[in-house]
Structure formats: structure tokens, C-alpha cells
Amino acid sequence: MKIAITGASGFLGRNLIDELKPDHRIRGLTRNVSANRDDEIDWLPGDLEDPESLDCLVDGCDAVVHAAVAMRGNSFIGGEGDPIEYLQANVMGTARLIEAAVDAGCGRFVFVSTGAVHGKTLPGEIDETHPHWPTSLYGIYKASCESLVHGYASMGKIVASTIRPVSIYGIDEPIGESRYAGLVGDILGGRQVDISGGGKVVHVRDVAGAIRLILETAPERVSGQTFNAVDRYVPIAEVADIASELCGVRMKSLGQPASKASNMLNAKLRSLGFNFGGIELLKETISQLVRGLGSS
């Protein structure tokens, strides 16, 4: 397949390219072509607010993966910037993109959503049918576009799916930007660490692999469907214990380990044959952080 990717130069986008390019041709949308030097990728300048660049992106492609967010503020959640500008750029940008994909005859569309569509939840387990109750503009944008994407699938315009990752971790560039890097750095430096808190996480390689699986699975099994991408709940205390053991230092800690709140289910994605990395992938990542931060 020839696959168009928005957000191709971001954290998830780079890992998605690594996952797909051995077997597929990739066209990536980026605001800065000169900063992306992978000659195997067909890089195009543009963004969600530029209809011409979206038309060029999808032209001749078999599938589209929409992983971009048009930032207006200084953070994904809580600092999105002006609400009208933010929603105009992202919701209408997504509408432009999927309409361009339909017009270009693309066969597949995968929208990367987020666990933040569930800012508030009902008691008990969370599967893909749980109501959307976002508590941030980011969550509102993603929830709105899930409905948009599913509507296009229901109308038979395109084979469209959404994937809903929770907090994504892995080795970022630079390594100090990686999730858990600050914690590991404090342990390496002999500083006290707060072990309270935790969250539902998924490794970036797992998200990329799940997107590939959705793209390559028979349309009748994925079109109009959402798939939760969540591996496990990871307490900060667990990460700290693993890092402390790998560093060979006695950890100075404060706070109490957190207990899991709600349980987000991943059975639907696993029913397609997908397996998450689990504790072994978490340990591998923390080991990479220990080695990388220890040598810097």
C-alpha cells in the first residue's frame, strides 16, 4: 500500500514510519520538510489548515493515517489555546482530510484518537462503547472526530476506523523528552523521587503495530470500529523500583504507591490477533533510559 500519514514527524509518526516502511510506501505531511531527512519517505509540506496540501497528500494513496494535532497553545491538554481556533483547525481539518481521502479514492482511513475522550467515566470497566465525557479541548476534538470518522464509514464512503491510545511511552528524541526520563534521571542522580501516582500506558511501538494491523485487516472487521490501545496500568512506584534495580542504587522515595482506578479493556484489539508488550517492554524501555541518561 501507499500510505499517507499526518503528524509523520512526531513521536508516534516516526515510530509508525519505522513500522510501515519495510512493506509499504509512505508519504508524510510535515510543516518542515528540511528537518526530515529520511529519503525513503515522500515528504510533503503542509498542515491541516491547507486544503491544497491535504489534496496532494492523499493523491494516489491507498490509505491515510491521521495522527496530527494542530497546536494552538503550549500543551496537548490544558493549554490548547483559543477554543474556536483550536477546534476550527483540528475538527474542520479532519473533515477536510477525510473528504479529500474519499475524493481521491483512498480505501482506508485510520484516525488516532485518545483515552482523553474519557475525562469522566462510569464505575467499572471501560470498553469501546463507553460514553464520551471529555474534560479538555483535546478530548473534545478527538471525540468529535471519532463521530465524524464513524459517520463516513457508516455512509459507506470509506473503510474508516479509530484507535484510542492512552498515555504513550517509549524512547523519544531527545531521550530526555521521554516519559519517565525525569524519574530515571532523579534515581541516577541519587535524588528523592515521588512514587505516588500512575496511569494507563501503552508503548509507542505497540500503537504503531496496532495501526498497521488495522490497516491490513479485512474491512468488514475494522470499518466503523474503535479500538482501545491500552497495555496496562503502571504505578510510578513500579517504574521507580525497576529503574532503581537497574541503576544499582538505593532509591530515596516519598509518597504512597497508587492504586488502579478504572480498567480500560483491550480485548477488541486482541481479538484481531494483537499482543501488547507488557512488563517486558516496560523493562526494556526503562533499561534504555538508564543507559542513555547515564551516559549523557
Side-chain angles (χ1 to χ4, degrees), residues 1-263:
M1 283 190 287
K2 187 167 187 177
I3 303 171
I5 302 175
T6 70
S9 56
F11 179 43
L12 174 57
R14 295 192 305 271
N15 282 270
L16 183 56
I17 287 171
D18 289 343
E19 175 70 32
L20 293 173
K21 73 179 182 180
D23 301 300
H24 302 283
R25 292 174 295 154
I26 307 298
R27 180 181 290 161
L29 189 69
T30 178
R31 292 186 182 91
N32 187 359
V33 172
S34 62
N36 297 284
R37 311 228 177 243
D38 190 333
D39 294 334
E40 298 179 63
I41 308 304
D42 178 15
W43 291 105
L44 291 182
D47 58 43
L48 291 176
E49 296 175 274
D50 178 7
E52 287 189 14
S53 69
L54 299 183
D55 289 339
C56 291
L57 175 71
V58 301
D59 183 41
C61 287
D62 304 296
V64 178
V65 179
H66 179 24
V69 177
M71 298 291 290
R72 285 294 176 271
N74 54 18
S75 67
F76 279 104
I77 298 179
E80 296 95 334
D82 180 80
I84 300 302
E85 290 184 5
Y86 180 84
L87 294 173
Q88 175 73 26
N90 286 291
V91 177
M92 292 309 300
T94 301
R96 289 189 196 98
L97 179 61
I98 194 167
E99 187 63 26
V102 170
D103 288 345
C106 296
R108 302 266 184 148
F109 191 97
V110 176
F111 175 66
V112 180
S113 185
T114 174
V117 300
H118 301 309
K120 294 181 180 179
T121 60
L122 295 168
E125 298 178 326
I126 302 172
D127 66 8
E128 288 82 356
T129 66
H130 191 285
H132 292 162
W133 287 324
T135 54
S136 65
L137 277 176
Y138 179 65
I140 290 169
Y141 148 52
K142 294 291 191 178
S144 299
C145 288
E146 282 195 19
S147 296
L148 173 70
V149 171
H150 292 160
Y152 269 71
S154 296
M155 289 187 289
K157 289 193 169 188
I158 194 169
V159 175
S161 315
T162 62
I163 184 168
R164 195 182 287 158
V166 290
S167 294
I168 301 175
Y169 78 100
I171 303 302
D172 206 346
E173 298 174 6
I175 193 169
E177 297 295 321
S178 306
R179 186 177 178 88
Y180 305 130
L183 175 68
V184 172
D186 284 342
I187 292 173
L188 281 166
R191 295 180 288 274
Q192 191 175 53
V193 297
D194 185 353
I195 61 169
S196 57
K200 296 181 283 290
V201 302
V202 62
H203 197 280
V204 67
R205 292 205 314 250
D206 280 345
V207 180
I211 291 171
R212 173 175 178 151
L213 179 61
I214 292 168
L215 286 169
E216 296 176 346
T217 296
E220 61 271 17
R221 299 189 67 189
V222 298
S223 191
Q225 300 296 315
T226 293
F227 298 89
N228 287 340
V230 54
D231 188 352
R232 56 198 296 269
Y233 179 87
V234 175
I236 293 297
E238 180 180 10
V239 178
D241 287 340
I242 295 170
S244 180
E245 182 178 351
L246 290 170
C247 294
V249 300
R250 186 179 179 85
M251 179 178 58
K252 303 172 185 176
S253 64
L254 58 88
Q256 295 296 319
S259 57
K260 181 168 66 173
S262 57
N263 183 28

